[in-house]
Coordinates of all heavy atoms in Angstrom, one line a residue:
P131 N -19.9 13.7 2.7 CA -18.6 14.0 2.1 C -17.7 12.7 2.1 O -18.0 11.8 2.9 CB -18.0 15.0 3.1 CG -18.7 14.8 4.4 CD -20.1 14.3 4.0
T132 N -16.7 12.7 1.3 CA -15.8 11.5 1.2 C -14.9 11.6 2.4 O -14.8 12.6 3.1 CB -14.9 11.6 0.0 OG1 -14.0 12.7 0.0 CG2 -15.8 11.6 -1.3
T133 N -14.2 10.5 2.7 CA -13.2 10.5 3.8 C -12.2 11.6 3.6 O -11.8 12.3 4.6 CB -12.5 9.1 3.9 OG1 -13.6 8.2 4.1 CG2 -11.5 9.1 5.0
L134 N -11.6 11.8 2.4 CA -10.6 12.8 2.1 C -11.2 14.2 2.4 O -10.5 15.0 2.9 CB -10.0 12.6 0.7 CG -9.3 11.3 0.5 CD1 -8.8 11.2 -0.9 CD2 -8.1 11.1 1.5
E135 N -12.4 14.4 2.0 CA -13.0 15.7 2.2 C -13.2 16.0 3.7 O -12.9 17.1 4.2 CB -14.4 15.8 1.5 CG -14.3 15.9 0.0 CD -15.6 15.7 -0.7 OE1 -16.6 15.2 -0.1 OE2 -15.7 16.1 -1.9
F136 N -13.6 14.9 4.4 CA -13.7 15.0 5.9 C -12.4 15.4 6.5 O -12.3 16.3 7.4 CB -14.3 13.8 6.5 CG -14.3 13.8 8.0 CD1 -15.2 14.6 8.7 CD2 -13.4 13.0 8.7 CE1 -15.2 14.6 10.1 CE2 -13.4 13.0 10.1 CZ -14.2 13.8 10.8
L137 N -11.3 14.6 6.1 CA -10.0 14.9 6.7 C -9.6 16.3 6.4 O -9.0 17.0 7.3 CB -9.0 13.9 6.1 CG -9.2 12.4 6.5 CD1 -8.1 11.6 5.8 CD2 -9.1 12.2 8.0
A138 N -9.8 16.8 5.2 CA -9.4 18.2 4.9 C -10.2 19.2 5.7 O -9.7 20.2 6.1 CB -9.7 18.4 3.4
S139 N -11.5 18.9 6.0 CA -12.3 19.8 6.8 C -11.9 19.9 8.2 O -12.1 20.9 8.9 CB -13.8 19.4 6.7 OG -14.0 18.2 7.6
V140 N -11.2 18.9 8.8 CA -10.7 18.9 10.1 C -9.6 19.9 10.3 O -9.5 20.6 11.3 CB -10.3 17.5 10.6 CG1 -9.6 17.6 11.9 CG2 -11.5 16.5 10.6
G141 N -8.8 20.0 9.3 CA -7.7 21.0 9.2 C -6.6 20.7 10.1 O -5.8 21.6 10.4
A142 N -6.4 19.5 10.6 CA -5.3 19.2 11.4 C -4.1 18.7 10.6 O -4.2 17.7 9.9 CB -5.7 18.1 12.4
P143 N -3.0 19.4 10.6 CA -1.9 19.0 9.7 C -1.2 17.6 10.0 O -0.6 17.1 9.2 CB -0.8 20.1 9.9 CG -1.2 20.7 11.2 CD -2.7 20.5 11.4
N144 N -1.5 17.1 11.2 CA -0.9 15.8 11.6 C -1.9 14.7 11.3 O -1.5 13.5 11.6 CB -0.4 15.8 13.0 CG -1.6 16.0 14.0 OD1 -2.6 16.6 13.6 ND2 -1.4 15.6 15.2
L145 N -3.0 14.9 10.8 CA -4.0 13.9 10.6 C -3.7 13.2 9.2 O -3.6 13.8 8.2 CB -5.4 14.5 10.5 CG -6.6 13.5 10.3 CD1 -6.6 12.4 11.5 CD2 -7.9 14.3 10.3
R146 N -3.5 11.9 9.3 CA -3.2 11.1 8.1 C -4.2 9.9 8.0 O -4.8 9.6 9.0 CB -1.8 10.6 8.2 CG -0.7 11.6 8.3 CD -0.4 12.3 7.0 NE 0.7 13.3 7.1 CZ 0.5 14.5 7.3 NH1 -0.7 15.1 7.5 NH2 1.5 15.4 7.4
Y147 N -4.1 9.2 6.9 CA -5.0 8.0 6.7 C -4.1 6.9 6.2 O -3.0 7.0 5.8 CB -6.2 8.3 5.8 CG -5.9 8.4 4.3 CD1 -6.0 7.3 3.5 CD2 -5.5 9.6 3.8 CE1 -5.8 7.4 2.1 CE2 -5.2 9.7 2.4 CZ -5.4 8.6 1.6 OH -5.1 8.8 0.3
Q148 N -4.7 5.7 6.3 CA -4.1 4.5 5.9 C -4.5 4.2 4.4 O -5.7 4.1 4.1 CB -4.5 3.3 6.7 CG -3.9 2.0 6.3 CD -4.3 0.9 7.2 OE1 -3.9 0.8 8.3 NE2 -5.1 -0.1 6.7
Y149 N -3.5 4.0 3.6 CA -3.7 3.7 2.2 C -3.6 2.2 2.0 O -2.5 1.6 2.3 CB -2.7 4.4 1.3 CG -2.9 4.3 -0.2 CD1 -3.6 5.3 -0.9 CD2 -2.5 3.2 -0.9 CE1 -3.8 5.1 -2.3 CE2 -2.7 3.1 -2.2 CZ -3.3 4.0 -2.9 OH -3.5 3.9 -4.3
D150 N -4.6 1.6 1.5 CA -4.7 0.1 1.4 C -4.5 -0.2 -0.1 O -5.5 0.0 -0.9 CB -6.0 -0.4 1.9 CG -6.1 -1.9 1.8 OD1 -5.6 -2.5 0.9 OD2 -6.8 -2.5 2.7
V151 N -3.4 -0.6 -0.5 CA -3.1 -0.8 -2.0 C -4.0 -1.9 -2.6 O -4.6 -1.6 -3.7 CB -1.6 -1.3 -2.2 CG1 -1.3 -1.7 -3.6 CG2 -0.6 -0.2 -1.7
Y152 N -4.3 -2.9 -1.9 CA -5.2 -4.0 -2.4 C -6.6 -3.4 -2.7 O -7.1 -3.5 -3.8 CB -5.3 -5.1 -1.4 CG -6.4 -6.1 -1.7 CD1 -6.2 -7.1 -2.7 CD2 -7.7 -6.0 -1.1 CE1 -7.2 -8.0 -3.0 CE2 -8.7 -6.9 -1.5 CZ -8.5 -7.9 -2.4 OH -9.5 -8.7 -2.7
H153 N -7.2 -2.7 -1.7 CA -8.5 -2.1 -2.0 C -8.5 -1.0 -3.0 O -9.5 -0.9 -3.8 CB -9.1 -1.7 -0.6 CG -9.6 -2.8 0.2 ND1 -9.0 -3.3 1.3 CD2 -10.7 -3.6 0.0 CE1 -9.7 -4.3 1.8 NE2 -10.7 -4.5 1.0
M154 N -7.5 -0.2 -3.0 CA -7.4 0.8 -4.1 C -7.4 0.2 -5.5 O -8.0 0.7 -6.4 CB -6.3 1.8 -3.8 CG -6.5 2.7 -2.6 SD -8.0 3.7 -2.8 CE -7.6 4.8 -4.1
Q155 N -6.6 -0.8 -5.6 CA -6.6 -1.5 -6.9 C -7.9 -2.1 -7.3 O -8.4 -2.0 -8.4 CB -5.5 -2.6 -6.9 CG -5.4 -3.4 -8.2 CD -5.0 -2.6 -9.4 OE1 -4.5 -1.5 -9.3 NE2 -5.1 -3.3 -10.6
R156 N -8.6 -2.7 -6.3 CA -9.9 -3.3 -6.6 C -10.9 -2.3 -6.9 O -11.8 -2.5 -7.7 CB -10.3 -4.1 -5.4 CG -9.4 -5.3 -5.0 CD -9.2 -6.3 -6.0 NE -10.5 -7.1 -6.1 CZ -10.7 -7.9 -7.1 NH1 -9.8 -8.2 -8.0 NH2 -11.8 -8.6 -7.1
M157 N -10.9 -1.1 -6.2 CA -11.9 -0.1 -6.4 C -11.7 0.8 -7.7 O -12.6 1.1 -8.4 CB -12.0 0.8 -5.2 CG -12.5 0.1 -4.0 SD -12.8 1.2 -2.5 CE -11.3 2.2 -2.4
E158 N -10.4 1.2 -7.9 CA -10.2 2.1 -9.0 C -8.9 2.0 -9.8 O -8.8 2.7 -10.8 CB -10.4 3.6 -8.5 CG -9.3 4.0 -7.5 CD -9.6 5.4 -7.0 OE1 -10.5 5.6 -6.3 OE2 -8.8 6.3 -7.4
G159 N -8.0 1.2 -9.3 CA -6.7 1.1 -10.0 C -5.9 2.3 -9.9 O -6.1 3.1 -9.0
N160 N -5.0 2.5 -10.8 CA -4.1 3.7 -10.8 C -3.4 3.9 -9.5 O -3.4 5.1 -9.0 CB -4.9 5.0 -11.2 CG -5.4 4.9 -12.6 OD1 -4.7 4.5 -13.5 ND2 -6.7 5.3 -12.8
V161 N -2.9 2.9 -8.9 CA -2.4 2.9 -7.6 C -1.2 3.9 -7.5 O -1.2 4.8 -6.5 CB -1.9 1.5 -7.1 CG1 -1.1 1.6 -5.9 CG2 -3.1 0.6 -6.9
V162 N -0.3 3.9 -8.4 CA 0.9 4.8 -8.3 C 0.4 6.3 -8.4 O 0.9 7.1 -7.7 CB 2.0 4.5 -9.3 CG1 3.0 5.6 -9.4 CG2 2.6 3.1 -8.9
A163 N -0.5 6.5 -9.3 CA -1.0 7.9 -9.5 C -1.7 8.4 -8.2 O -1.5 9.6 -7.8 CB -2.0 8.0 -10.7
T164 N -2.5 7.6 -7.6 CA -3.2 8.0 -6.4 C -2.2 8.1 -5.2 O -2.3 9.0 -4.4 CB -4.4 7.1 -6.0 OG1 -3.9 5.8 -5.8 CG2 -5.5 7.2 -7.0
L165 N -1.2 7.2 -5.1 CA -0.2 7.3 -4.1 C 0.5 8.6 -4.2 O 0.7 9.4 -3.2 CB 0.7 6.2 -4.1 CG 0.3 4.9 -3.5 CD1 1.2 3.7 -3.9 CD2 0.2 5.0 -2.0
Q166 N 1.0 9.0 -5.4 CA 1.7 10.2 -5.6 C 0.9 11.4 -5.3 O 1.4 12.4 -4.7 CB 2.2 10.3 -7.1 CG 3.3 9.2 -7.3 CD 3.7 9.1 -8.8 OE1 2.9 9.3 -9.7 NE2 4.9 8.7 -9.1
R167 N -0.4 11.4 -5.7 CA -1.2 12.6 -5.4 C -1.5 12.7 -3.9 O -1.6 13.8 -3.4 CB -2.5 12.4 -6.2 CG -3.5 13.6 -6.1 CD -4.8 13.4 -6.8 NE -5.6 12.3 -6.2 CZ -6.1 11.3 -6.8 NH1 -5.9 11.1 -8.1 NH2 -6.8 10.4 -6.1
E168 N -1.8 11.6 -3.3 CA -2.2 11.7 -1.9 C -1.1 11.5 -0.8 O -1.4 11.6 0.4 CB -3.3 10.6 -1.6 CG -4.5 10.7 -2.5 CD -5.3 12.0 -2.2 OE1 -5.2 12.5 -1.1 OE2 -5.9 12.5 -3.2
L169 N 0.1 11.3 -1.2 CA 1.2 11.0 -0.3 C 1.3 11.9 0.9 O 1.5 11.5 2.0 CB 2.5 10.9 -1.0 CG 3.6 10.1 -0.3 CD1 3.2 8.7 0.0 CD2 4.9 10.1 -1.1
P170 N 1.1 13.2 0.7 CA 1.2 14.1 1.9 C 0.1 13.8 3.0 O 0.3 14.2 4.1 CB 1.0 15.5 1.3 CG 1.3 15.4 -0.1 CD 0.9 14.0 -0.5
R171 N -0.9 13.1 2.6 CA -2.0 12.8 3.6 C -2.0 11.3 4.0 O -2.8 10.9 4.8 CB -3.4 13.2 3.0 CG -3.5 14.6 2.7 CD -4.9 15.1 2.5 NE -5.4 14.6 1.2 CZ -6.6 14.9 0.7 NH1 -7.4 15.7 1.4 NH2 -6.9 14.5 -0.5
I172 N -1.0 10.6 3.6 CA -0.9 9.1 3.9 C 0.0 9.0 5.1 O 1.1 9.4 5.0 CB -0.5 8.3 2.7 CG1 -1.5 8.4 1.6 CG2 -0.2 6.9 3.1 CD1 -1.1 7.8 0.3
G173 N -0.4 8.3 6.1 CA 0.4 8.0 7.2 C 0.9 6.6 7.3 O 1.8 6.2 8.1
H174 N 0.3 5.7 6.6 CA 0.6 4.2 6.6 C 0.1 3.6 5.3 O -1.0 4.0 4.8 CB -0.1 3.6 7.8 CG 0.2 2.1 7.9 ND1 1.2 1.6 8.6 CD2 -0.5 1.0 7.5 CE1 1.2 0.3 8.6 NE2 0.1 -0.1 7.9
I175 N 0.9 2.7 4.8 CA 0.5 1.9 3.6 C 0.4 0.5 4.0 O 1.3 -0.1 4.6 CB 1.4 2.2 2.5 CG1 1.4 3.7 2.1 CG2 1.1 1.3 1.2 CD1 2.5 4.1 1.1
Q176 N -0.6 -0.2 3.5 CA -0.7 -1.7 3.7 C -0.8 -2.3 2.3 O -1.4 -1.8 1.4 CB -1.7 -2.1 4.7 CG -3.2 -2.0 4.2 CD -4.1 -2.5 5.2 OE1 -3.9 -2.3 6.4 NE2 -5.2 -3.0 4.8
V177 N -0.1 -3.5 2.2 CA -0.1 -4.2 0.9 C -0.6 -5.6 0.9 O -0.5 -6.3 1.9 CB 1.4 -4.2 0.4 CG1 1.9 -2.8 0.2 CG2 2.3 -5.0 1.2
A178 N -1.2 -5.9 -0.2 CA -1.6 -7.3 -0.6 C -1.8 -7.2 -2.1 O -2.1 -6.2 -2.6 CB -2.8 -7.7 0.1
D179 N -1.5 -8.3 -2.8 CA -1.6 -8.3 -4.2 C -3.1 -8.6 -4.6 O -3.9 -9.1 -3.8 CB -0.7 -9.4 -4.9 CG -0.2 -8.9 -6.2 OD1 -0.9 -8.1 -6.9 OD2 0.9 -9.3 -6.6
S180 N -3.4 -8.2 -5.8 CA -4.8 -8.3 -6.3 C -4.7 -9.2 -7.5 O -3.8 -9.1 -8.3 CB -5.3 -6.9 -6.7 OG -6.6 -7.0 -7.2
P181 N -5.7 -10.1 -7.7 CA -7.0 -10.2 -7.0 C -7.0 -11.1 -5.8 O -8.0 -11.1 -5.1 CB -7.9 -10.7 -8.1 CG -7.0 -11.6 -8.9 CD -5.6 -11.0 -8.9
G182 N -6.1 -12.0 -5.5 CA -6.2 -13.0 -4.5 C -5.9 -12.6 -3.1 O -6.1 -13.4 -2.2
R183 N -5.5 -11.4 -2.9 CA -5.1 -10.9 -1.6 C -3.9 -11.6 -0.9 O -3.8 -11.8 0.3 CB -6.3 -10.8 -0.6 CG -6.0 -9.8 0.5 CD -7.2 -9.7 1.5 NE -6.9 -8.7 2.4 CZ -7.5 -7.5 2.5 NH1 -8.5 -7.3 1.7 NH2 -7.1 -6.6 3.4
H184 N -3.0 -12.1 -1.8 CA -1.8 -12.8 -1.3 C -0.6 -11.9 -1.4 O -0.8 -10.7 -1.7 CB -1.6 -14.1 -2.2 CG -2.7 -15.0 -2.2 ND1 -3.2 -15.7 -1.1 CD2 -3.6 -15.4 -3.2 CE1 -4.3 -16.4 -1.4 NE2 -4.5 -16.3 -2.7
Q185 N 0.5 -12.4 -1.1 CA 1.7 -11.6 -1.0 C 2.1 -11.0 -2.3 O 1.7 -11.5 -3.4 CB 2.9 -12.4 -0.5 CG 3.4 -13.6 -1.4 CD 2.7 -14.9 -0.9 OE1 1.6 -14.9 -0.4 NE2 3.4 -16.0 -1.2
P186 N 2.8 -9.8 -2.3 CA 3.2 -9.2 -3.5 C 3.9 -10.2 -4.5 O 4.7 -11.1 -4.0 CB 4.2 -8.1 -3.1 CG 3.6 -7.7 -1.7 CD 3.2 -9.0 -1.1
G187 N 3.7 -10.1 -5.7 CA 4.3 -10.9 -6.7 C 3.4 -12.1 -7.1 O 3.7 -12.9 -8.0
T188 N 2.2 -12.2 -6.6 CA 1.3 -13.3 -6.9 C 0.0 -12.8 -7.7 O -0.8 -13.6 -7.9 CB 0.8 -14.0 -5.6 OG1 0.1 -13.0 -4.8 CG2 1.9 -14.5 -4.8
G189 N 0.0 -11.6 -8.1 CA -1.2 -11.1 -8.8 C -0.8 -10.1 -9.8 O 0.3 -10.1 -10.4
E190 N -1.7 -9.1 -10.0 CA -1.6 -8.2 -11.1 C -0.8 -6.9 -10.8 O -0.4 -6.2 -11.8 CB -3.0 -7.8 -11.6 CG -3.8 -7.0 -10.6 CD -5.3 -6.9 -10.9 OE1 -5.7 -7.7 -11.8 OE2 -5.9 -6.1 -10.3
L191 N -0.5 -6.6 -9.6 CA 0.3 -5.4 -9.2 C 1.8 -5.6 -9.4 O 2.3 -6.6 -9.0 CB -0.1 -5.0 -7.8 CG -1.5 -4.5 -7.6 CD1 -1.9 -4.5 -6.1 CD2 -1.7 -3.1 -8.2
R192 N 2.4 -4.5 -9.9 CA 3.9 -4.5 -10.1 C 4.4 -3.8 -8.9 O 4.7 -2.6 -8.9 CB 4.3 -3.8 -11.4 CG 4.0 -4.7 -12.6 CD 4.5 -4.0 -13.9 NE 5.7 -3.4 -13.8 CZ 6.1 -2.2 -14.3 NH1 5.2 -1.6 -15.0 NH2 7.3 -1.7 -14.2
Y193 N 4.7 -4.6 -7.8 CA 5.1 -3.9 -6.6 C 6.5 -3.3 -6.7 O 6.8 -2.4 -6.0 CB 5.0 -4.9 -5.4 CG 3.7 -4.8 -4.7 CD1 2.7 -5.7 -5.0 CD2 3.4 -3.8 -3.8 CE1 1.4 -5.6 -4.4 CE2 2.2 -3.7 -3.2 CZ 1.2 -4.6 -3.5 OH 0.0 -4.5 -2.9
S194 N 7.4 -3.9 -7.6 CA 8.7 -3.2 -7.7 C 8.5 -1.8 -8.2 O 9.2 -0.9 -7.8 CB 9.6 -4.0 -8.7 OG 8.9 -4.2 -10.0
Y195 N 7.5 -1.6 -9.1 CA 7.2 -0.2 -9.6 C 6.6 0.6 -8.5 O 6.9 1.8 -8.4 CB 6.3 -0.4 -10.8 CG 5.8 0.9 -11.4 CD1 6.7 1.8 -12.0 CD2 4.5 1.3 -11.3 CE1 6.2 3.0 -12.6 CE2 4.0 2.5 -11.9 CZ 4.9 3.3 -12.5 OH 4.4 4.5 -13.0
I196 N 5.7 0.1 -7.8 CA 5.0 0.8 -6.7 C 6.0 1.2 -5.7 O 6.0 2.4 -5.3 CB 3.9 -0.1 -6.1 CG1 2.7 -0.3 -7.1 CG2 3.3 0.6 -4.8 CD1 1.7 -1.3 -6.7
F197 N 6.9 0.3 -5.2 CA 7.8 0.7 -4.2 C 8.9 1.7 -4.7 O 9.3 2.6 -4.0 CB 8.5 -0.6 -3.6 CG 7.6 -1.4 -2.7 CD1 7.5 -2.7 -2.9 CD2 6.8 -0.8 -1.8 CE1 6.7 -3.5 -2.1 CE2 5.9 -1.5 -1.0 CZ 5.9 -2.9 -1.1
A198 N 9.3 1.5 -6.0 CA 10.2 2.5 -6.6 C 9.6 3.9 -6.6 O 10.3 4.9 -6.3 CB 10.6 2.1 -8.0
A199 N 8.3 4.0 -6.9 CA 7.6 5.3 -7.0 C 7.5 5.9 -5.6 O 7.7 7.1 -5.4 CB 6.2 5.1 -7.5
L200 N 7.3 5.0 -4.5 CA 7.3 5.5 -3.2 C 8.6 6.0 -2.7 O 8.7 7.1 -2.1 CB 6.8 4.4 -2.2 CG 5.3 4.1 -2.2 CD1 5.0 2.8 -1.4 CD2 4.5 5.3 -1.8
D201 N 9.7 5.3 -3.1 CA 11.0 5.8 -2.8 C 11.3 7.1 -3.5 O 11.8 8.0 -2.9 CB 12.1 4.7 -3.2 CG 12.2 3.6 -2.3 OD1 11.7 3.7 -1.1 OD2 12.7 2.5 -2.7
A202 N 11.0 7.2 -4.8 CA 11.2 8.4 -5.5 C 10.5 9.6 -4.9 O 10.9 10.7 -5.0 CB 10.9 8.2 -7.0
A203 N 9.3 9.3 -4.4 CA 8.5 10.4 -3.8 C 8.9 10.8 -2.4 O 8.4 11.7 -1.8 CB 7.0 10.0 -3.8
G204 N 9.9 10.0 -1.8 CA 10.4 10.3 -0.5 C 9.5 9.7 0.6 O 9.7 10.2 1.8
Y205 N 8.7 8.8 0.4 CA 7.9 8.2 1.5 C 8.8 7.5 2.5 O 9.6 6.7 2.1 CB 6.9 7.2 0.9 CG 6.0 6.6 2.0 CD1 5.0 7.3 2.6 CD2 6.2 5.2 2.4 CE1 4.2 6.8 3.6 CE2 5.4 4.7 3.4 CZ 4.4 5.4 4.0 OH 3.7 4.9 5.0
D206 N 8.7 7.9 3.7 CA 9.5 7.2 4.8 C 8.7 6.7 5.9 O 9.2 6.4 7.0 CB 10.5 8.2 5.3 CG 9.9 9.4 6.0 OD1 8.6 9.6 6.0 OD2 10.6 10.3 6.5
G207 N 7.4 6.4 5.6 CA 6.5 5.9 6.6 C 6.5 4.3 6.6 O 7.3 3.7 5.9
Y208 N 5.6 3.8 7.4 CA 5.5 2.4 7.5 C 4.7 1.7 6.3 O 3.8 2.4 5.7 CB 4.8 2.0 8.8 CG 5.6 2.2 10.0 CD1 5.4 3.4 10.8 CD2 6.6 1.4 10.4 CE1 6.2 3.6 11.9 CE2 7.4 1.6 11.5 CZ 7.2 2.7 12.2 OH 7.9 3.0 13.3
V209 N 5.1 0.5 6.0 CA 4.4 -0.3 5.0 C 4.0 -1.6 5.8 O 4.9 -2.3 6.2 CB 5.2 -0.6 3.8 CG1 4.5 -1.6 2.9 CG2 5.5 0.7 3.0
G210 N 2.7 -1.9 5.9 CA 2.3 -3.1 6.6 C 1.9 -4.1 5.6 O 1.5 -3.9 4.5
L211 N 2.2 -5.4 6.0 CA 1.9 -6.5 5.2 C 0.5 -7.1 5.7 O 0.5 -7.6 6.8 CB 3.0 -7.6 5.2 CG 4.4 -7.1 5.1 CD1 5.4 -8.2 5.1 CD2 4.5 -6.3 3.7
E212 N -0.5 -7.0 4.9 CA -1.8 -7.6 5.3 C -2.3 -8.5 4.1 O -3.1 -8.1 3.3 CB -2.8 -6.5 5.6 CG -4.1 -7.1 6.1 CD -5.2 -6.2 6.2 OE1 -5.4 -5.4 5.3 OE2 -5.9 -6.2 7.2
Y213 N -1.8 -9.7 4.1 CA -2.2 -10.6 3.0 C -2.3 -12.0 3.5 O -1.9 -12.3 4.7 CB -1.1 -10.6 1.9 CG 0.3 -10.9 2.2 CD1 0.7 -12.2 2.5 CD2 1.2 -9.9 2.3 CE1 2.0 -12.5 2.8 CE2 2.6 -10.2 2.6 CZ 2.9 -11.5 2.9 OH 4.2 -11.8 3.2
I214 N -3.0 -12.8 2.7 CA -3.1 -14.3 3.0 C -2.0 -15.0 2.4 O -1.9 -15.0 1.1 CB -4.5 -14.8 2.5 CG1 -5.6 -13.9 3.0 CG2 -4.7 -16.3 2.7 CD1 -6.9 -14.1 2.3
P215 N -1.0 -15.5 3.1 CA 0.2 -16.1 2.5 C -0.2 -17.3 1.7 O -1.0 -18.2 2.0 CB 1.0 -16.6 3.7 CG 0.4 -15.9 4.9 CD -1.0 -15.6 4.6
L216 N 0.5 -17.4 0.5 CA 0.5 -18.6 -0.3 C 1.7 -19.4 0.2 O 2.8 -18.8 0.2 CB 0.6 -18.3 -1.8 CG -0.7 -17.8 -2.5 CD1 -0.4 -17.5 -4.0 CD2 -1.8 -18.8 -2.4
G217 N 1.6 -20.6 0.6 CA 2.7 -21.3 1.2 C 2.8 -21.0 2.7 O 1.9 -20.4 3.2
S218 N 3.9 -21.3 3.2 CA 4.1 -21.0 4.6 C 4.3 -19.5 4.8 O 4.7 -18.8 3.9 CB 5.3 -21.7 5.2 OG 6.5 -21.1 4.7
P219 N 4.1 -18.9 6.0 CA 4.4 -17.5 6.2 C 5.8 -17.2 5.8 O 6.0 -16.1 5.2 CB 4.1 -17.3 7.7 CG 3.0 -18.3 8.0 CD 3.4 -19.5 7.2
A220 N 6.8 -18.0 6.2 CA 8.2 -17.7 5.9 C 8.4 -17.7 4.4 O 9.1 -16.8 3.9 CB 9.1 -18.7 6.6
E221 N 7.8 -18.6 3.7 CA 7.9 -18.6 2.2 C 7.3 -17.3 1.6 O 7.7 -16.8 0.6 CB 7.3 -19.8 1.6 CG 8.0 -21.1 1.9 CD 7.2 -22.4 1.6 OE1 5.9 -22.3 1.5 OE2 7.8 -23.4 1.4
S222 N 6.2 -16.8 2.2 CA 5.5 -15.7 1.7 C 6.4 -14.4 1.8 O 6.0 -13.4 1.2 CB 4.2 -15.5 2.4 OG 4.3 -14.8 3.6
F223 N 7.5 -14.4 2.5 CA 8.4 -13.3 2.6 C 9.4 -13.3 1.5 O 10.3 -12.4 1.5 CB 9.0 -13.2 4.0 CG 8.0 -13.0 5.1 CD1 8.2 -13.7 6.3 CD2 6.9 -12.2 5.0 CE1 7.3 -13.5 7.4 CE2 6.0 -12.0 6.0 CZ 6.3 -12.7 7.2
S224 N 9.5 -14.2 0.6 CA 10.5 -14.3 -0.4 C 10.6 -13.1 -1.3 O 11.6 -12.8 -1.9 CB 10.4 -15.6 -1.2 OG 9.3 -15.6 -2.0
W225 N 9.5 -12.4 -1.4 CA 9.5 -11.2 -2.3 C 10.2 -10.0 -1.6 O 10.6 -9.1 -2.3 CB 8.1 -10.8 -2.6 CG 7.3 -10.3 -1.4 CD1 6.6 -11.1 -0.5 CD2 7.2 -9.0 -0.9 NE1 6.1 -10.3 0.5 CE2 6.4 -9.0 0.2 CE3 7.6 -7.7 -1.4 CZ2 6.0 -7.9 1.0 CZ3 7.3 -6.6 -0.6 CH2 6.5 -6.7 0.5
L226 N 10.4 -10.1 -0.3 CA 11.1 -9.0 0.4 C 12.6 -9.0 0.1 O 13.2 -10.1 -0.1 CB 10.9 -9.1 1.9 CG 9.5 -8.8 2.4 CD1 9.4 -9.3 3.8 CD2 9.3 -7.3 2.4
P227 N 13.3 -7.8 0.1 CA 14.7 -7.8 0.0 C 15.3 -8.7 1.2 O 14.7 -8.7 2.3 CB 15.1 -6.4 0.2 CG 13.9 -5.6 -0.1 CD 12.7 -6.5 0.3
P228 N 16.4 -9.4 0.9 CA 17.0 -10.3 2.0 C 17.2 -9.6 3.3 O 16.9 -10.2 4.3 CB 18.3 -10.7 1.4 CG 18.1 -10.6 -0.1 CD 17.2 -9.4 -0.3
D229 N 17.5 -8.3 3.3 CA 17.8 -7.7 4.6 C 16.5 -7.3 5.3 O 16.5 -6.8 6.5 CB 18.7 -6.5 4.4 CG 18.0 -5.4 3.6 OD1 17.2 -5.7 2.7 OD2 18.3 -4.2 3.8
R230 N 15.3 -7.5 4.7 CA 14.1 -7.2 5.3 C 13.2 -8.4 5.7 O 12.1 -8.3 6.2 CB 13.2 -6.3 4.4 CG 13.9 -5.1 4.0 CD 13.9 -4.1 5.1 NE 14.5 -2.9 4.7 CZ 14.3 -1.8 5.4 NH1 13.5 -1.7 6.4 NH2 14.8 -0.6 5.0
R231 N 13.8 -9.6 5.5 CA 13.0 -10.8 5.8 C 13.0 -11.2 7.2 O 12.1 -12.0 7.6 CB 13.5 -12.0 4.9 CG 13.3 -11.7 3.4 CD 13.8 -12.8 2.6 NE 13.8 -12.4 1.2 CZ 14.4 -13.0 0.2 NH1 15.0 -14.2 0.5 NH2 14.4 -12.6 -1.0
G232 N 14.0 -10.8 8.0 CA 14.1 -11.1 9.5 C 13.6 -12.3 9.9 O 13.0 -12.7 10.8

C-alpha cells in the first residue's frame, strides 16, 4: 500500500504526515492541487524550490501562489525551510516577509 493508504488504515484521527513541496514537485507537480486535497492529513510542510533545492524564488515554483492557497485553505501548521541557501543564510531569507526574517 501507499503511505497515504497505510495512514488511512491506521484510523487515528491525529496521525498526520509531512508534505515536502520540493519532492512533490519533482515527483508529480500539481503542488497546490495535492496540498488542497491532502491538507486534512498534513501535519507539517517543508519547502525548497525546484529544481535546485534552493530557497523559494530561485526556481520554477510560485511560492506566493502556494502560500496564498495554504492561507485560503486555513492551514495553520508549521512550514519548515529545508533548502540549500544561495548566498549567505541571512540573504537566503530575503523572500520571507520582513516580520518573519528574525
Side-chain angles (χ1 to χ4, degrees):
T132 68
T133 299
L134 295 178
E135 291 169 340
F136 172 74
L137 294 177
S139 74
V140 171
N144 63 334
L145 182 59
R146 303 281 185 263
Y147 74 96
Q148 176 178 294
Y149 185 97
D150 184 325
V151 174
Y152 169 83
H153 281 105
M154 287 302 294
Q155 175 66 11
R156 302 296 291 168
M157 291 186 314
E158 64 182 72
N160 297 317
V161 169
V162 170
T164 59
L165 278 168
Q166 290 170 332
R167 183 182 69 235
E168 299 298 330
L169 201 57
R171 298 194 287 184
I172 295 171
H174 178 87
I175 297 171
Q176 70 180 33
V177 300
D179 216 329
S180 180
R183 200 178 187 113
H184 302 297
Q185 63 265 29
T188 60
E190 63 194 17
L191 290 164
R192 287 184 41 222
Y193 270 98
S194 59
Y195 176 67
I196 293 168
F197 289 135
L200 286 172
D201 283 343
Y205 180 71
D206 63 355
Y208 290 100
V209 174
L211 311 180
E212 188 192 41
Y213 57 76
I214 302 162
L216 283 179
S218 73
E221 292 168 336
S222 80
F223 297 140
S224 67
W225 66 273
L226 288 165
D229 64 329
R230 300 289 182 159
R231 293 181 193 170

